[in-house]
Each structure stands twice: as structure tokens, then as C-alpha cells.
Amino acid sequence: MIKIGIVSLVFCLISAALLRGQSDWVYVGPTAPPEQINAIATNGEGAYVAVGDNGVVHWAKNIDTWQFVQVRNLRGNVTGVVYYKGGWVLGTDRGEIRWSSDGVDWTVQGNSGSVTAFAGIQVLDDTLFALSAWRVLRSEDGLVWESVESDFFEAGYQVTDAREFDGRLFVLSYKEGDAESLRLSHSSDGSRWSHVTGFSTSCLLYTSPSPR
């Protein structure tokens, strides 16, 4: 699967002008283990959770102090994390969902049933949305998931990343084996989708160093 950071999308949409002339940046994220970080979320009160490949979960009580969290029996790559209704919810590329009230102790909250991989998990209008390679799912509690009737998917396309921004879900998808087929789509409800015209890979500012 081609891994493409959605942060590039955000930069393309709103941040290019703001970044001009800003050269004094300080890295404050987790330092070990050296796995790819796929997503980060905050509770809005100073705490953060960052997740990544090979079951990596980091917790921070503030942005400068990070702790590696050993989550028992968490397998695969953690592809998304959000803070939702008083707790943290994460999803993996094996269809597993975990919940935590503190970012340290995680319990199995459910799974996606026949869906075996989450490409991203986001909150839109107080509802959880998870996108797999082939389906859109939603949940009101992170435990019970239902499939959303959607006009998004076309034959051969797979979701590689998803983010909420400005009241919409933004999704990157592509055709297996064809990096030039990458497309950007958005939806306000997870059901009806529009594809951004004129979008190309030349817009991407950051990509993963190693396609998967």
C-alpha cells in the first residue's frame, strides 16, 4: 500500500503561505522506537497520543514529555487515533479498535467485522468514521459499527489516508499498482462524495520514504 501523509493535504490547502519564511522549527514528538508515526491526537487539555507502525503508541502529558506505551496484543500498524467522548479511540490496519480513558491503559473496544484494515479514523459531527480499503463505517460509541451506503468507491480504488478538516472528511485513494491514479475526495456526511479536480501528486509536500 502507498502511504501518503495527509499533512501534505493540509499544507496544500491552507498552509503554504504561512510556512514561507518560517525556518525555526523544533521537533517535539516521540523519539523511540523509530517507527513511522501515522497519526496524533490531543484531548484539548495538553495530553497527546501518537500512533504508528508495528503497534506503536506514545502518550504525552504535555507536548515535550513523551512515554512509549506497551499495548498488550496490539498487532499490525496503528493507522489512526482520535479523542472522542472522554476517551481515546485508535484503529489498526487489521481492523482492531482500542479505547483508553488515559492514553496508557487500552482495552479492546470492538472490531470492524468483515473489514480487515482501517486506513483512517476521524470524528465528524460527533460521529466516528472509519475508512477501510473498500468501505466507509461509522459509530456513535466506537463499539458498534455500521457500514455507510456510499458512492465513493470505484472498482480498483483503495483508501490510503483520511482526515477531518473544516467540517468535511478528506480522503486520498489510488488504484493498486498505479501511483499516478492518486485522487483527493471530500464529503460532509461520509455518504455523498466529490472528487477534487486538478489534483495531482505534484501538490504533495510530504510523502512516506518507503511505499507499502
Side-chain angles (χ1 to χ4, degrees):
M1 179 183 291
I2 299 174
K3 295 279 291 183
I4 299 179
I6 201 77
V7 68
S8 57
L9 164 63
V10 177
F11 280 141
C12 286
L13 292 177
I14 63 172
S15 299
L18 297 177
L19 290 174
R20 294 194 185 103
Q22 302 299 316
S23 59
D24 297 327
W25 290 82
V26 178
Y27 179 73
V28 293
T31 57
E35 303 291 348
Q36 173 171 301
I37 298 299
N38 296 324
I40 185 170
T42 178
N43 64 356
E45 299 178 356
Y48 294 82
V49 169
V51 298
D53 287 357
N54 297 318
V56 163
V57 177
H58 298 273
W59 172 80
K61 62 182 178 181
N62 58 64
I63 197 65
D64 297 311
T65 306
W66 291 85
Q67 168 188 341
F68 173 65
V69 179
Q70 184 68 50
V71 182
R72 186 176 182 181
N73 296 325
L74 182 62
R75 300 179 178 89
N77 301 323
V78 187
T79 54
V81 62
V82 293
Y83 189 77
Y84 181 70
K85 294 186 177 180
W88 308 88
V89 182
L90 64 76
T92 76
D93 65 355
R94 296 192 180 187
E96 186 175 353
I97 301 165
R98 297 283 183 112
W99 181 88
S100 174
S101 61
D102 58 10
V104 177
D105 296 315
W106 294 82
T107 58
V108 176
Q109 188 77 353
N111 60 56
S112 57
S114 60
V115 177
T116 58
F118 285 123
I121 183 168
Q122 295 294 312
V123 178
L124 179 66
D125 291 335
D126 206 34
T127 299
L128 277 171
F129 282 87
L131 289 100
S132 74
W134 310 111
R135 295 166 64 189
V136 179
L137 300 101
R138 67 183 168 206
S139 173
E140 300 297 333
D141 59 8
L143 177 61
V144 179
W145 293 83
E146 63 177 355
S147 180
V148 178
E149 291 295 329
S150 173
D151 61 4
F152 174 75
F153 296 100
E154 297 177 12
Y157 271 89
Q158 298 185 42
V159 174
T160 185
D161 212 338
R163 291 291 186 273
E164 186 277 335
F165 176 72
D166 197 27
R168 295 183 182 184
L169 291 173
F170 284 85
V171 169
L172 287 174
S173 62
Y174 71 103
K175 287 185 177 180
E176 184 70 31
D178 182 5
E180 295 303 316
S181 66
L182 184 72
R183 70 179 183 181
L184 173 64
S185 309
H186 61 88
S187 172
S188 60
D189 60 7
S191 178
R192 296 178 295 275
W193 292 83
S194 298
H195 306 306
V196 177
T197 59
F199 175 78
S200 69
T201 54
S202 63
C203 179
L204 297 176
L205 302 183
Y206 293 91
T207 60
S208 167
S210 56
R212 297 179 182 276

